[in-house]
C-alpha cells in the first residue's frame, strides 16, 4: 500500500465516521481510482439511459452483452421505435424482466421523440417521468452524463454506507440524503462510482475483502474478515 494510503486515521468517535475520516475515506478511494466511471458500456446519453433501465435486477456484464447486440442495430429513440417492441424484446431476452423492460424502453422512446426532440433531458422531473426511470436511474444519468453532483444509491452503496458508518440510513433515500450532506464537495462527482465499485469488488455482501480494503481502519464494521494489518 502506498504511504499516503497508510496514513494513520483519526481516532474512532462512535458508530459513524467523523468529517475528517470521511475526507480521508474518499481521498484513499480517489488515489486508487482517480477517474471512476460506470461499467455500463455507452457512447451517448441515450445509450446510457437505456442501459440503466435494463440494469434493474441485472448485472452490468449481462446488460453490456445485450446492448452490444442492440446498439449496432438501434441506438436512438426513433431507431428503437422503428425496431418495434417484439424485435427489441428479442435483443434483450437474456436480461431479467425483459418483457417489462422492452415495454418501458419503447414507451420512454416515444416520450423522448414526442416531447424532447429525441434528446435525453437534463432535468430530474423530466427524466423521472419516463417509464422505467426512477430516482436512482435519473441520478445515474444526471451524474454520469451531465456531471451533476448526484448519488444513485443501489444495494452496493446502501450496504457500504451503512456497514462502514459513512452514511447510515434505514432506506435508500435516507442514505442518499445523508451522503449528499456529508460527502465533501471535492468528492461529490465521483462518490457514486467510488462507492458502487468499492461495494461490488471489496465490501461485498457475503464476504467483504477487509484485508485488501484501503479504508478498513476507518470502517466501523464489527465483523471484519481477518487477515493483514490495519494501517496506523
Amino acid at each position: 500500500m502506498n504511504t499516503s494510503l497508510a496514513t494513520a486515521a483519526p481516532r474512532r468517535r462512535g458508530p459513524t465516521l467523523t468529517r475528517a475520516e470521511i475526507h480521508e475515506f474518499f481521498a484513499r478511494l480517489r488515489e486508487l481510482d482517480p477517474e471512476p466511471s460506470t461499467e455500463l458500456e455507452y457512447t451517448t446519453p441515450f445509450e446510457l439511459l437505456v442501459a440503466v433501465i435494463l440494469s434493474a435486477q441485472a448485472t452490468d456484464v449481462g446488460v453490456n452483452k445485450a446492448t452490444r447486440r442492440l446498439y449496432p442495430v438501434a441506438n436512438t429513440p426513433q431507431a428503437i421505435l422503428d425496431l418495434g417492441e417484439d424485435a427489441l424484446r428479442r435483443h434483450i431476452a437474456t436480461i431479467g424482466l425483459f418483457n417489462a423492460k422492452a415495454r418501458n424502453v419503447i414507451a420512454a422512446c416515444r416520450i423522448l421523440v414526442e416531447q424532447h426532440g429525441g434528446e435525453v433531458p437534463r432535468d430530474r422531473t423530466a427524466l423521472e417521468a419516463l417509464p422505467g426511470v426512477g430516482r436512482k436511474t435519473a441520478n445515474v444519468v444526471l451524474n454520469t452524463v451531465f456531471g451533476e453532483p448526484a448519488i444513485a444509491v443501489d444495494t452496493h452503496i446502501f450496504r457500504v454506507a451503512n456497514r462502514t458508518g459513512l452514511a447510515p440510513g434505514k432506506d435508500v433515500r435516507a442514505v442518499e440524503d445523508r451522503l449528499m450532506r456529508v460527502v465533501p464537495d471535492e468528492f461529490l462527482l465521483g462518490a457514486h462510482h467510488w462507492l458502487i465499485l468499492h461495494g461490488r469488488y471489496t465490501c461485498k455482501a457475503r464476504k467483504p475483502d477487509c484485508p485488501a480494503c484501503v479504508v478498513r481502519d476507518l470502517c466501523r464494521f464489527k465483523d471484519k474478515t481477518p487477515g493483514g494489518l490495519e494501517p496506523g
Side-chain angles (χ1 to χ4, degrees), residues 143-166:
N143 177 255
T144 305
V145 172
F146 298 116
E148 301 283 350
I151 299 175
V153 179
D154 69 348
T155 55
H156 295 300
I157 295 180
F158 185 79
R159 178 176 65 255
V160 171
N162 277 284
R163 179 184 276 170
T164 63
L166 173 64

Side-chain angles (χ1 to χ4, degrees), residues 54 70 73-74 76-93 97-110 131:
L54 297 180
L70 172 63
V73 176
T76 67
Q78 188 60 59
I80 286 184
L81 287 176
D82 293 342
L83 184 66
E85 187 175 325
D86 289 342
L88 173 60
R89 193 181 295 118
R90 290 194 294 272
H91 278 90
I92 65 172
L97 307 175
F98 67 91
N99 285 314
K101 290 175 181 178
R103 286 194 298 273
N104 284 335
V105 169
I106 289 290
C109 286
R110 188 168 292 112

Side-chain angles (χ1 to χ4, degrees), residues 39-42 51 59-69 95:
E39 292 186 316
L40 291 171
E41 296 173 359
Y42 74 99
T59 66
D60 287 0
V61 171
V63 171
N64 289 337
K65 286 180 180 177
T67 56
R68 284 174 200 153
R69 296 190 297 271
I95 300 175

